[in-house]
Amino acid sequence: MDNNQLAHMVASRWPAKAVRGVATNRMLEAAGLTHKVLTAAVARQLVVRLHRGAYVQGTEWWNLTPWARDDVALIAHVLASLSSGVYSHSSAARLHGLRTWGCGATVHVTHGQTPGHANGGARTSVHQQALDAGHVVMKRIGPVQVPVTSMAQTVLDCARLFRLEHAVIIGDHAVRKGLLIPDLQRLLEASEVKRGSARAKRTLDFLDPLSESAGESRMRVFLAATKLPMPELQVTITTRHGVHRADFAWREFRLILEFDGWGKYFDYRPTAEAIALERQREKDLMELGWSFIRISWSDLNDPAALEARIRAALLRAGATLPARRTTFFA
């Protein structure tokens, strides 16, 4: 069978019940994709094996962003691993639909006692921690139901394990979804797990339900590290064309900091209309004396240069600032 014939067979028979494009051996066999066909398709990269017994079509896999691949690889683990543990940490965060960034592709599974056989694969991290029944929920992923740490437990586990900015992204989204920070604090205080508790407390102190994106969460952690004056989040400003909202603003200096995740402009309107509306918004605000700093995701990769830009803008706006002595969070 040549490549075109094989590709057509795979695409036409790929199971409709695949979850996020992931199909198990059982699904594939039922669709008429035999082991022999599947082996040939994997060899020719028409199909990618994500986990023993779980596959995705190559065309779909290679078009995914790196972070979307992490999500799909987790789905493959859930469908095929038959893990006896509870999905936890960043894996639980993904299954709860929380934003994650920088947590890696590792699948995290927690057991109440040391497992005799992890059955997870090379990219699985196995944790040992006693979990009360109230800290575990069941999630349906396609045809299977799997145990997952509760959203509150997930936030604390991530706060204990990951770097501050990674944990804050997860925690911000959880409290934006309705999780209460005082409840998280009580859960942390009542926990018998002491390792990482100081890291978790620092994370909880940072959480803010007003943070609307992973970029805004990272930006808040960055700004705290600079020791510069902290801006307000989601500031509403009335102009002659109505009320506009800024991601961050220093009211006393009439300085706005915008995190430009361009999806917020273009996801809901045609590009030309979105650009025109954003230009009008900026003109309205500038007429009232506001100035702007626009930050993109890549700017956070050079924190020293970014701090210098923000410091310079604050000084131009009339701020009196301490000497620069930044130690960025680990």
Side-chain angles (χ1 to χ4, degrees):
M1 188 182 302
D2 66 28
N3 225 48
N4 289 335
Q5 290 174 317
L6 184 58
H8 176 72
M9 176 181 287
V10 168
S12 62
R13 296 188 182 181
W14 200 259
K17 292 184 178 180
V19 183
R20 291 284 299 272
V22 177
T24 63
N25 277 336
R26 180 176 295 182
M27 294 178 188
L28 294 166
E29 288 169 5
L33 293 172
T34 64
H35 176 72
K36 182 179 179 180
V37 169
L38 196 58
T39 300
V42 170
R44 301 182 200 182
Q45 296 189 331
L46 298 171
V47 170
V48 177
R49 180 180 181 270
L50 299 180
H51 191 279
R52 185 174 60 187
Y55 303 84
V56 68
Q57 292 187 74
T59 51
E60 182 166 341
W61 177 253
W62 303 121
N63 286 326
L64 292 174
T65 61
W67 50 92
R69 288 184 188 176
D70 292 344
D71 292 342
V72 170
L74 172 60
I75 295 298
H77 189 283
V78 169
L79 294 178
S81 74
L82 302 177
S83 172
S84 60
V86 178
Y87 286 96
S88 61
H89 299 80
S90 55
S91 298
R94 289 184 171 114
L95 294 175
H96 281 296
L98 299 176
R99 290 185 288 263
T100 60
W101 173 81
C103 299
T106 299
V107 175
H108 294 268
V109 180
T110 293
H111 292 261
Q113 56 187 2
T114 304
H117 179 55
N119 193 32
R123 285 192 168 186
T124 303
S125 180
V126 178
H127 307 266
Q128 183 181 350
Q129 180 181 336
L131 295 169
D132 295 338
H135 297 158
V136 178
V137 298
M138 299 301 293
K139 286 278 185 183
R140 176 165 289 280
I141 309 297
V144 302
Q145 277 199 323
V146 292
V148 179
T149 52
S150 68
M151 195 177 292
Q153 183 68 45
T154 298
V155 169
L156 290 189
D157 288 341
C158 291
R160 292 184 180 107
L161 182 65
F162 296 120
R163 288 177 53 184
L164 182 65
E165 61 179 342
H166 302 159
V168 168
I169 287 169
I170 293 167
D172 275 352
H173 198 185
V175 296
R176 188 164 181 82
K177 281 176 170 279
L179 202 60
L180 299 178
I181 295 173
D183 289 347
L184 285 167
Q185 292 168 332
R186 282 191 288 271
L187 180 59
L188 177 61
E189 290 168 4
S191 175
E192 295 181 0
V193 179
K194 301 306 175 187
R195 185 175 183 179
S197 58
R199 292 167 67 97
K201 184 179 185 305
R202 183 172 65 164
T203 297
L204 298 190
D205 289 342
F206 263 89
L207 300 188
D208 193 324
L210 293 178
S211 193
E212 294 185 340
S213 69
E216 289 182 17
S217 296
R218 285 189 72 194
M219 195 69 213
R220 287 175 38 246
V221 175
F222 166 82
L223 288 168
T226 67
K227 308 298 191 299
L228 294 170
M230 285 296 290
E232 296 177 53
L233 273 73
Q234 314 306 339
V235 176
T236 56
I237 303 166
T238 302
T239 72
R240 64 191 179 93
H241 287 115
V243 176
H244 296 306
R245 188 161 59 106
D247 295 338
F248 302 91
W250 291 268
R251 289 182 189 270
E252 64 271 41
F253 307 121
R254 288 190 174 258
L255 177 62
I256 290 170
L257 189 153
E258 291 279 80
F259 194 90
D260 281 337
W262 292 107
K264 68 182 180 182
Y265 302 126
F266 302 139
D267 283 352
Y268 309 107
R269 295 186 180 93
T271 299
E273 180 186 351
I275 291 173
L277 287 172
E278 179 56 21
R279 284 177 176 169
Q280 185 60 58
R281 170 182 175 272
E282 192 162 319
K283 284 168 57 179
D284 291 345
L285 291 166
M286 289 175 69
E287 284 180 4
L288 296 176
W290 290 89
S291 55
F292 288 79
I293 313 169
R294 291 199 174 274
I295 304 301
S296 65
W297 190 266
S298 61
D299 290 321
L300 288 163
N301 295 332
D302 189 347
L306 180 54
E307 180 188 0
R309 283 179 59 198
I310 297 172
R311 176 177 286 271
L314 283 166
L315 289 171
R316 286 194 301 271
T320 301
L321 303 178
R324 182 177 175 181
R325 291 180 299 183
T326 299
T327 301
F328 292 103
F329 290 109

